[in-house]
Amino acid sequence: MKIACIGGGPAGLYFAISMKLRDPAHEIEVFERNAPGVTFGWGVVFSDLTVDNITRNDPVSAETITREFAHWDDIDVHFKGETITSGGHGFIGISRKRMLQILHDRARELGAVLHFDAECDPADPRWREYDLIIAADGANSRFRDAHAESFGIDIDVRANKFVWLGTSKVFDAFTFAFEQTEHGWIWAHAYRFAPDCSTFIVECSEETWRGFGFDRMSQDESIAACEKLFAKYLDGHSLQSNATHLVGSAAWLNFRRIKCERWSAGNVILLGDAAHTAHFSIGSGTKLALEDAIKLAELLNRPGLSLEAAMDEYVAERDLEVLKLQNSARNSTEWFETLERYTHFEPLQFAYSLLTRSQRISHENLRLRDRDWLEGVERWFWKRATDGRSNKTAPPMFAPLKLREMEVANRITVSPMAMYSAVDGVPNDFHFVHYGERAIGGAGLLFTEMTCVSPEGRISPGCTGMWNADHVAAWKRIVEFVHANSKAKICLQLGHSGGKGSTRVGWEGNDVPLDGGNWPVMSAGDVRWSPANQVPAPMTRADMNRVRDQFVAAVRMGVEAGFDMVELHAAHGYLLSSFITPLQNNRSDEYGGSLENRMRYPLEVFAAMRAAWPGDRPMSVRISATDWAGDDGITPDEAVLIGEAFAREGADLIDVSAGQTWGGQQPVYGRMFQTPFSDRIRNEGKLATMAVGNIYEPDHANSILAAGRADLVALGRPHLVDPFWTLRAAAQLDYRDVAVPPQYLNGMAQLARNMKRDADAAAALRV
Ligand SMILES: Cc1cc2nc3c(=O)[nH]c(=O)nc-3n(C[C@H](O)[C@H](O)[C@H](O)COP(=O)(O)OP(=O)(O)OC[C@H]3O[C@@H](n4cnc5c(N)ncnc54)[C@H](O)[C@@H]3O)c2cc1C
Ligand SMILES: Cc1cc2nc3c(=O)[nH]c(=O)nc-3n(C[C@H](O)[C@H](O)[C@H](O)COP(=O)(O)O)c2cc1C
């Protein structure tokens, strides 16, 4: 094949090498607009996995590259006058310029032709002479943009400003230096990539950047200002730029996250940054470029595979990898963009939050990297959780939490889950066993299912209630069992179904109206849940008074039944949520319109409940932190305001759920997918929060808690199949101080021994 590679960066050069290695008969020309040795950037970092991949692909160039690698292990985080050092991170880096030289030599040796100072124009007719055009021309690809509609390009220009500089100061550790200034925070990411040279990327918000006047400075002035700002880290060494083609403030860039729906159009194929970018803070752009090149060369040379089939497979295989990296990169990008959210943290927690920002590195991962450091974090966490009383080194999930006068023994909670098994609202033996079993299973706090304040406030005929003496008696029996047989506390979740009421039990269809015997429903407005559901009656003021009083009566019954805590369910599109979300609330009175108006009734109900609930016992509220509807619905920003408003009325904990507030939601699911909302409410609103949603490993819980993304972690579905989730986690983490029912002690000891033996065997295999 006769192939033109546009761009002599890592992608273009490595593709040329990979093709020639597989079939020397290919005619390959690489066109690079710059002269040899002229390139942007300084060092690039690699992972061990990338090194394995390039070694398998071409041992010759890999050998030269790895010989010249700089290695380092530690990460130093400089923050508020402290340096937090953690080890075991194992980075390798090389100068970008040197890596390109090695690739030039190798490409030439294999017979590829390299043209330098060769600016390529997509409209040039000479490209017709080639069988394939490889657009490896970087993030600003002209060849991609010339066929923009065919590729379905999606570019997200990120908020922060950064400049990629170099310095002769040698940083022995990967260094993050955060400086607080009168214009806001500004920070550097610095690492050594050669014996005498380090990369030094400076980043800040646009506001800080303008505050310093970087927008009006020449490149030299910018560099001088950065030297002054980071003088204490540079020890007299200067900073340098190699973006000589960029003038003035243009050396400062906004990162552009690029993704494309399709990676080929006719005989033009996108490779590397032209197809997709990954934020520099996770250092994986070059890895993606090299691995794209390997995969594409492999497929184009696979016998019997048409170009079309090769392209389908190329996209299928690489797309998943790119998606995973771009997801991690997005988390990392957002962490730096919302840095101010975390600057109230103490330095140790700040460093932990930084290290776990992309969610690729977890608590146990950090233990493998640097056990001592991680144990220091655990001790710190326990000390804070116990007001300095405990010096324990133990997983954060087992630390206690105090809300008003209630202390929960650990941070794991059983999320509220409707069982749809009550008759006339009365919990029965099923509920007794269900809650009792989960209490002895070790969770610190149990939530009841949404317990309804009136018969017509039920979701289904099977929902539990709290509106008469039978309910009080049945709940009291459960609460007393929980208190007598476990250390768990129990919280009564109270709610009213609103427009989502009068539906079947969950397993006969969610939100599907009853076959017969439907009761009239009401809501904030007259927006029905779906064409199959009833049109609700908008609540009158008299309805509001009645329902508010029902909530208050239910709270009083909760006191009688002995509950430790009460939660108001104001999420998931039920009655109170229907006021909060603009997608359900189409009222034109003082309860509709602005967020302040839409919050008025839910706050009124909450305040009335709080007044009826003992002052020494805590209350929480469950909210949907987003409607998953973009700006048309509740946004995560507004969720902070919603959390703050409830806190002002006396909420001690915001239970942060999301969605289920309208039929057209577009949720983005994944591991711990709702935790970012909890993080935001906790750290922007400075409120205690509970995270929930696809959290299923002890490692997830510990990472969330230690990083300060929530104060409690709720697990729903995992507890349906494993009431003993917390005890199992204790056995897995070899934590002995958890409350085990004495009847079960023997089994617990055996489980812990077996798990330890299995973990030791797995560790021995890894070594
Ligand atoms: C600040 C910063 C730090 C980074 N740090 C790291 C890191 O530590 N580790 C890492 O793996 N990645 C890092 N990256 C990302 C990495 O630089 C890119 O992902 C990688 O270079 C992509 O390789 P590429 O070959 O696709 O594109 P590029 O390296 O951008 O190469 C494209 C080439 O095409 C040439 N070209 C463009 N247009 C034309 C044209 N019309 N005609 C001829 N030639 C053309 C360009 O001159 C360039 O040489 C960083 C990026 C930035 C911005
Ligand atoms: C069967 C079932 C019933 C649920 N019922 C309720 C409920 O009554 N109240 C509530 O706030 N959330 C309810 N939820 C939502 C859960 O509390 C939790 O937020 C959700 O399942 C996500 O957490 P998970 O991924 O750990 O399951 C229910 C979830 C399930 C699976």
Side-chain angles (χ1 to χ4, degrees):
M1 272 197 277
K2 187 172 157 75
I3 302 175
C5 277
I6 314 299
L13 290 167
Y14 206 63
F15 174 75
I17 292 169
S18 304
M19 285 298 278
K20 279 292 203 182
L21 276 170
R22 284 168 178 77
D23 185 352
H26 292 307
E27 286 176 50
I28 307 199
E29 291 172 78
V30 179
F31 297 87
E32 167 56 48
R33 61 153 66 120
N34 289 328
V38 175
T39 183
F40 69 91
W42 296 85
V44 286
V45 286
F46 278 68
S47 69
D48 290 344
L49 192 65
T50 312
V51 174
D52 289 349
N53 286 338
I54 62 170
T55 306
R56 263 198 307 277
N57 185 57
D58 179 24
V60 176
S61 58
E63 217 265 313
T64 327
I65 291 174
T66 46
R67 208 180 324 121
E68 300 197 19
F69 269 146
H71 294 254
W72 69 105
D73 237 25
D74 288 354
I75 295 185
D76 279 352
V77 180
H78 300 274
F79 179 68
K80 291 186 183 164
E82 277 189 45
T83 302
I84 306 291
T85 302
S86 60
H89 298 287
F91 291 104
I92 30 193
I94 187 169
S95 140
R96 177 176 158 98
K97 203 183 264 186
R98 180 64 193 126
M99 183 182 71
L100 292 180
Q101 263 168 12
I102 295 169
L103 298 182
H104 291 161
D105 293 347
R106 181 65 176 147
R108 280 205 195 89
E109 186 182 297
L110 291 169
V113 179
L114 310 188
H115 306 275
F116 290 96
D117 297 311
E119 172 73 44
C120 301
D121 180 352
D124 193 328
R126 74 173 147 150
W127 306 122
R128 292 196 203 118
E129 294 163 21
Y130 294 85
D131 300 317
L132 279 185
I133 315 288
I134 304 296
D137 48 346
N140 298 322
S141 170
R142 287 179 69 187
F143 279 68
R144 177 197 62 213
D145 292 352
H147 304 273
E149 315 79 59
S150 312
F151 291 119
I153 312 167
D154 173 1
I155 299 184
D156 181 10
V157 181
R158 303 304 313 201
N160 279 356
K161 290 280 180 188
F162 73 92
V163 62
W164 197 352
L165 303 171
T167 174
S168 53
K169 154 86 193 190
V170 174
F171 288 95
D172 289 327
F174 194 118
T175 298
F176 290 102
F178 294 87
E179 286 297 302
Q180 188 171 22
T181 72
E182 74 267 39
H183 302 299
W185 287 86
I186 185 162
W187 56 96
H189 316 230
Y191 57 89
R192 174 170 72 86
F193 61 81
D196 55 355
C197 214
S198 299
T199 279
F200 199 92
I201 300 168
V202 180
E203 187 182 358
C204 61
S205 71
E206 167 117 18
E207 201 186 345
T208 301
W209 185 73
R210 290 193 187 283
F212 275 110
F214 283 126
D215 53 329
R216 300 182 300 276
M217 289 184 198
S218 69
Q219 209 179 110
D220 286 346
E221 286 167 339
S222 265
I223 288 176
C226 289
E227 281 170 352
K228 206 162 142 206
L229 272 164
F230 294 100
K232 66 173 178 245
Y233 306 101
L234 289 168
D235 296 333
H237 291 263
S238 61
L239 291 173
Q240 300 138 40
S241 167
N242 59 10
T244 42
H245 57 294
L246 300 171
V247 292
S249 63
W252 288 88
L253 302 171
N254 288 75
F255 180 77
R256 296 184 341 136
R257 196 278 290 125
I258 295 168
K259 52 184 182 188
C260 292
E261 267 171 52
R262 289 166 294 279
W263 297 1
S264 69
N267 67 343
V268 180
I269 301 176
L270 304 181
L271 206 61
D273 271 14
H276 44 67
T277 55
H279 193 250
F280 56 86
S281 61
I282 64 159
S284 294
T286 307
K287 162 200 161 71
L288 281 180
L290 298 180
E291 290 173 356
D292 274 2
I294 298 172
K295 181 48 68 185
L296 184 60
E298 189 188 310
L299 290 166
L300 290 175
N301 288 285
R302 194 180 286 173
L305 206 61
S306 67
L307 178 60
E308 210 182 13
M311 282 318 299
D312 285 349
E313 202 167 328
Y314 171 56
V315 174
E317 283 204 22
R318 296 299 300 150
D319 201 32
L320 185 64
E321 183 62 17
V322 169
L323 189 74
K324 279 199 262 172
L325 264 174
Q326 284 193 329
N327 277 346
S328 301
R330 187 199 56 227
N331 294 337
S332 178
T333 313
E334 284 176 0
W335 192 91
F336 285 105
E337 285 174 356
T338 53
L339 184 93
E340 302 261 344
R341 196 188 283 170
Y342 309 105
T343 50
H344 66 286
F345 283 180
E346 290 176 40
L348 194 58
Q349 187 170 41
F350 181 83
Y352 184 99
S353 170
L354 170 66
L355 294 177
T356 54
R357 69 192 181 278
S358 73
Q359 289 183 29
R360 281 198 303 183
I361 297 179
S362 68
H363 197 73
E364 291 310 316
N365 224 246
L366 286 171
R367 197 188 305 281
L368 287 178
R369 288 168 191 234
D370 188 343
R371 175 175 282 273
D372 287 349
W373 186 79
L374 202 261
E375 289 183 351
V377 172
E378 294 189 337
R379 263 192 307 283
W380 170 87
F381 191 90
W382 273 81
K383 215 172 196 146
R384 276 195 110 224
T386 58
D387 285 334
R389 280 175 283 123
S390 170
N391 242 338
K392 227 180 203 171
T393 304
M397 60 176 272
F398 295 110
L401 177 75
K402 202 160 177 208
L403 294 170
R404 299 211 182 198
E405 291 308 309
M406 179 187 88
E407 184 167 288
V408 285
N410 63 58
R411 307 296 182 105
I412 300 301
T413 77
V414 177
S415 202
M417 280 183 292
M419 292 292 107
Y420 306 111
S421 301
V423 177
D424 293 331
V426 185
N428 52 41
D429 283 354
F430 174 84
H431 299 88
F432 184 76
V433 173
H434 170 73
Y435 290 109
E437 198 173 31
R438 276 146 194 84
I440 58 182
L445 180 61
L446 308 184
F447 281 74
T448 68
E449 59 206 275
M450 178 171 119
T451 296
C452 308
V453 297
S454 63
E456 61 287 353
R458 289 175 298 169
I459 306 168
S460 76
C463 290
T464 51
M466 194 59 127
W467 66 80
N468 67 33
D470 290 345
H471 301 139
V472 178
W475 279 119
K476 193 164 189 239
R477 180 171 167 243
I478 293 171
V479 171
E480 283 176 356
F481 177 88
V482 170
H483 287 161
N485 293 282
S486 78
K487 288 224 165 104
K489 303 289 183 210
I490 180 161
C491 173
L492 171 65
Q493 187 189 57
L494 289 174
H496 186 299
S497 55
K500 285 175 84 175
S502 188
T503 58
R504 298 183 195 167
V505 296
W507 52 88
E508 287 178 1
N510 268 331
D511 310 318
V512 181
L514 298 170
D515 289 335
N518 282 292
W519 61 86
V521 298
M522 60 185 171
S523 182
D526 59 2
V527 180
R528 62 175 158 180
W529 178 249
S530 83
N533 295 72
Q534 294 177 53
V535 176
M539 283 179 97
T540 63
R541 186 58 241 189
D543 293 331
M544 290 187 199
N545 292 346
R546 192 180 64 255
V547 170
R548 181 200 58 213
D549 295 347
Q550 288 168 345
F551 271 99
V552 171
V555 165
R556 296 213 169 96
M557 292 184 218
V559 180
E560 254 187 88
F563 280 99
D564 302 292
M565 180 173 168
V566 162
E567 172 164 286
L568 173 63
H569 193 342
H572 301 171
Y574 297 116
L575 187 75
L576 296 169
S577 165
S578 77
F579 276 84
I580 301 173
T581 171
L583 299 169
Q584 299 263 359
N585 184 338
N586 56 359
R587 300 177 76 100
S588 51
D589 60 4
E590 68 267 40
Y591 302 101
S594 66
L595 178 63
E596 190 188 348
N597 281 359
R598 285 182 278 127
M599 287 295 293
R600 202 181 301 279
Y601 182 59
L603 289 174
E604 178 185 325
V605 172
F606 190 89
M609 290 167 74
R610 180 73 261 182
W613 183 242
D616 57 351
R617 293 189 216 173
M619 270 187 72
S620 61
V621 57
R622 177 165 265 207
I623 63 167
S624 286
T626 171
D627 288 330
W628 298 118
D631 288 341
D632 293 339
I634 294 293
T635 62
D637 264 346
E638 287 172 324
V640 179
L641 303 176
I642 294 169
E644 286 171 337
F646 280 114
R648 278 194 296 275
E649 298 300 339
D652 306 292
L653 180 80
I654 311 299
D655 172 358
V656 187
S657 187
Q660 300 172 56
T661 48
W662 67 300
Q665 65 171 2
Q666 298 287 331
V668 183
Y669 291 119
R671 248 179 336 132
M672 305 182 267
F673 72 111
Q674 293 172 164
T675 302
F677 307 125
S678 159
D679 181 342
R680 190 162 188 159
I681 293 172
R682 182 179 192 273
N683 294 309
E684 286 182 12
K686 311 282 185 295
L687 303 173
T689 62
M690 179 162 85
V692 64
N694 214 13
I695 300 167
Y696 51 90
E697 297 276 358
D699 202 19
H700 298 162
N702 287 323
S703 307
I704 290 169
L705 293 164
R709 309 179 84 207
D711 299 277
L712 285 174
V713 173
L715 287 81
R717 287 161 297 177
H719 273 122
L720 284 184
V721 289
D722 187 359
F724 292 87
W725 190 92
T726 306
L727 291 190
R728 193 183 294 282
Q732 186 182 330
L733 297 169
D734 200 16
Y735 179 72
R736 308 285 168 89
D737 254 0
V738 70
V740 183
Q743 299 88 332
Y744 297 172
L745 273 171
N746 227 316
M748 183 67 185
Q750 175 71 358
L751 181 63
R753 269 196 302 275
N754 286 344
M755 283 183 147
K756 180 147 182 16
R757 201 193 46 224
D758 291 352
D760 290 347
L765 272 181
R766 270 200 304 273
V767 172

